[in-house]
Amino acid sequence: MEKFNLQFLDLLKSSLNNGTYEGGYIDSQDLKQIYRLSEIHHVLPMIYSALYNQECFKNADEEFKRMFKQVALRLVVSQIQRSNRFLELYKILQKENIETIVFKGIIFRNMYNNPDDRMSSDEDILVKQEDYDRIKDILCNEGLEFIEKEGNECAYFCKKTGLCIEVSTSLFPVESKAYGHLNKVFENIFENSININIDGIDIKTLSHEQHLIYIVFHNMKHFLHGGFGIRQVADFSKYIETYNQFINWEKFWSNLKILNYDTFALNLIDISLKYLGFDYTKAIYPEGVRDFNIIINSKDYYINSDDLINDILNAGVFGGSTKERKHTALMTLNAVEGQNNTNRFKAIFPNVDYLKGSYTYLQKHPILLPIAWTQRILSYLKKNKNNTTSYINTMELGKQRIELLKEYKIIK
């Protein structure tokens, strides 16, 4: 692993734990790389808070320091505005008797030392089917713009604050062959919900056990669509450290094992231990084991997170660091759905379900799929004109990422 990657991780660890940075002196070139990583992983304010008192940063170029500070401050201020607006809207939904479950976003920020340093691009809420249409009038009357998506999922955007609220009736798209079945774990989600008080407001959210399971599933969902970033691993470890006493660990591991996600979760813990300062005593591991070293040394479990941490660092927060990585999604999704994981035809000519989000006319006229294929290919050729290596890089990266799915036993 490159030195700047290790320094970036150590800065993040010191921020997460209010600790001391121990990664050594950072030269000007590595500082630029750390800034880039901070951007693509959406942790720039956290890295700045850990970095600004370091001698290496004090000696850095004045323009670079000023730019870093201004961006960090702007991100924090905009996050505060979005959080405040969301809380206002949540109270309105409460008054209108809209039973709403909030997950990720503001719930996760509440676990951090400086909540507004942990950025959220949107806020996610779950509503019952009977309230899905009711909520549209309420939020639009509050000045939000309705953004149509597909199925029982839509979004609302506040131009003034930049807040985006994503609304759905299930945690995962029920039509998805790759992860629609994961909804079964959350069948009693409203009955099992709990309240967490944030800024004096009781917010309904998932039970701690279900929320932790959801984090694991959600990370894998993003992995299938290009990858997930180190912030999502931090959310996972912070959740365990914050709410471990409320989790039925036996049930947690049982649910993961049935769906072949236990090895993946154990390797997330391994990354948390190695790089994020995670306190392993906060979790209970499979079969009631309390010492993670026993898991590492056991022949019953596969712990080797080196390939995974490299993929995470290269991916960025939503796996969008490169166009090649984004294009691998078809290969990984096909692999999980049981299709031929090297099927190049599927990568070039995906089905209607995959394309209808980008080509909305397919939602009403699926017969126009060949036209969408043509548009997609022409667009790809235009963007990659004179770049003969892009397709090869996509296919090679896709194969590598499918091997990771096999390594962590998501697929055979």
Side-chain angles (χ1 to χ4, degrees):
M1 187 185 294
E2 296 279 0
K3 182 179 68 173
F4 63 80
N5 280 328
L6 291 170
Q7 291 170 332
F8 166 73
L9 290 170
D10 203 72
L11 285 166
L12 181 59
K13 178 175 72 173
S14 65
S15 176
L16 292 172
N17 301 286
N18 273 340
T20 303
Y21 167 71
E22 299 175 342
Y25 192 84
I26 307 172
D27 62 34
S28 58
Q29 291 303 312
D30 285 342
L31 272 175
K32 292 177 182 178
Q33 291 288 353
I34 288 169
Y35 180 87
R36 180 187 65 83
L37 285 169
S38 302
E39 279 194 310
I40 67 172
H41 286 274
H42 290 197
V43 292
L44 195 145
M46 287 193 277
I47 297 300
Y48 178 77
S49 69
L51 187 60
Y52 79 98
N53 271 331
Q54 298 298 317
E55 194 66 28
C56 58
F57 190 72
K58 293 178 180 178
N59 296 333
D61 175 76
E62 290 297 326
E63 184 176 345
F64 175 79
K65 288 192 294 185
R66 183 166 52 252
M67 179 268 298
F68 207 141
K69 180 180 180 179
Q70 288 175 346
V71 174
L73 182 61
R74 174 174 56 80
L75 289 172
V76 170
V77 170
S78 64
Q79 184 60 67
I80 292 171
Q81 292 173 337
R82 291 195 300 273
S83 296
N84 288 342
R85 182 58 176 148
F86 176 74
L87 291 174
E88 291 172 356
L89 293 168
Y90 183 79
K91 287 192 290 186
I92 291 171
L93 294 176
Q94 282 182 316
K95 290 180 181 178
E96 295 292 337
N97 294 317
I98 301 287
E99 192 171 4
T100 303
I101 286 182
V102 180
F103 57 104
K104 298 190 301 175
I106 199 166
I107 303 297
F108 288 174
R109 288 200 303 278
N110 195 51
M111 305 181 303
Y112 285 73
N113 301 319
N114 299 302
D116 293 308
D117 281 358
R118 193 278 189 196
M119 297 184 293
S120 293
S121 57
D122 53 45
E123 296 292 344
D124 295 271
I125 64 175
L126 191 74
V127 299
K128 294 181 177 179
Q129 187 66 54
E130 58 264 32
D131 292 326
Y132 185 74
D133 292 327
R134 278 186 64 209
I135 203 171
K136 181 177 181 180
D137 291 336
I138 297 169
L139 293 180
C140 288
N141 286 338
E142 287 297 318
L144 275 70
E145 177 185 345
F146 174 70
I147 303 172
E148 188 173 4
K149 290 194 174 181
E150 57 182 280
N152 285 343
E153 182 180 338
C154 62
Y156 299 86
F157 183 71
C158 175
K159 291 182 178 179
K160 184 177 181 179
T161 63
L163 169 67
C164 181
I165 300 179
E166 296 198 347
V167 182
S168 56
T169 57
S170 61
L171 291 178
F172 298 96
V174 294
E175 69 276 7
S176 170
K177 295 179 181 178
Y179 39 77
H181 63 287
L182 300 178
N183 287 306
K184 292 180 180 179
V185 178
F186 309 97
E187 287 179 343
N188 299 319
I189 192 168
F190 280 91
E191 292 81 357
N192 295 331
S193 64
I194 61 172
N195 287 327
I196 289 181
N197 191 277
I198 299 177
D199 292 345
I201 301 172
D202 283 335
I203 296 180
K204 182 171 288 190
T205 187
L206 305 176
S207 70
H208 292 309
E209 184 182 301
Q210 288 186 326
H211 221 150
L212 187 61
I213 293 172
Y214 172 77
I215 295 173
V216 177
F217 290 171
H218 183 69
N219 285 353
M220 180 51 65
K221 175 189 172 184
H222 275 297
F223 181 90
L224 297 177
H225 285 274
F228 63 97
I230 195 63
R231 194 189 71 189
Q232 283 93 330
V233 184
D235 290 339
F236 177 66
S237 62
K238 291 293 287 185
Y239 206 95
I240 293 174
E241 289 182 337
T242 307
Y243 299 116
N244 62 88
Q245 61 183 317
F246 303 107
I247 294 166
N248 181 331
W249 287 102
E250 182 180 359
K251 191 173 181 181
F252 170 77
W253 290 112
S254 175
N255 277 317
L256 292 188
K257 187 172 183 178
I258 290 171
L259 295 163
N260 298 322
Y261 277 70
D262 52 331
T263 298
F264 176 62
L266 287 169
N267 280 277
L268 291 179
I269 289 174
D270 191 52
I271 290 172
S272 302
L273 282 165
K274 287 180 178 177
Y275 304 108
L276 301 182
F278 175 67
D279 181 358
Y280 77 90
T281 66
K282 298 294 185 179
I284 299 176
Y285 306 100
E287 299 181 28
V289 173
R290 293 179 177 270
D291 186 345
F292 194 71
N293 289 315
I294 295 175
I295 299 293
I296 292 174
N297 296 323
S298 171
K299 295 181 180 179
D300 296 330
Y301 306 99
Y302 176 79
I303 309 297
N304 182 2
S305 61
D306 292 348
D307 292 333
L308 184 57
I309 185 61
N310 287 329
D311 190 82
I312 288 169
L313 288 173
N314 290 331
V317 69
F318 297 123
S321 58
T322 65
K323 61 181 180 297
E324 288 85 3
R325 178 171 283 274
K326 291 179 182 178
H327 292 155
T328 64
L330 271 174
M331 298 176 69
T332 49
L333 284 166
N334 285 341
V336 169
E337 291 170 5
Q339 301 178 44
N340 183 351
N341 60 32
T342 59
N343 191 334
R344 299 187 179 193
F345 181 86
K346 291 288 186 181
I348 300 172
F349 302 104
N351 60 28
V352 170
D353 288 338
Y354 185 84
L355 288 180
K356 64 184 180 182
S358 301
Y359 302 93
T360 53
Y361 57 79
L362 292 176
Q363 295 176 20
K364 292 184 179 180
H365 307 288
I367 197 173
L368 298 179
L369 179 60
I371 295 176
W373 283 341
T374 303
Q375 283 185 271
R376 185 171 183 269
I377 292 170
L378 290 174
S379 176
Y380 183 84
L381 291 173
K382 184 178 180 180
K383 290 179 182 177
N384 295 281
K385 188 178 181 181
N386 301 324
N387 184 2
T388 57
T389 62
S390 181
Y391 173 75
I392 296 173
N393 290 341
T394 297
M395 298 305 298
E396 187 60 35
L397 180 59
K399 290 177 182 178
Q400 292 173 10
R401 303 190 70 247
I402 288 170
E403 288 304 311
L404 278 178
L405 290 172
K406 294 178 180 177
E407 183 176 353
Y408 299 115
K409 303 180 181 179
I410 301 297
I411 60 174
K412 295 181 180 180

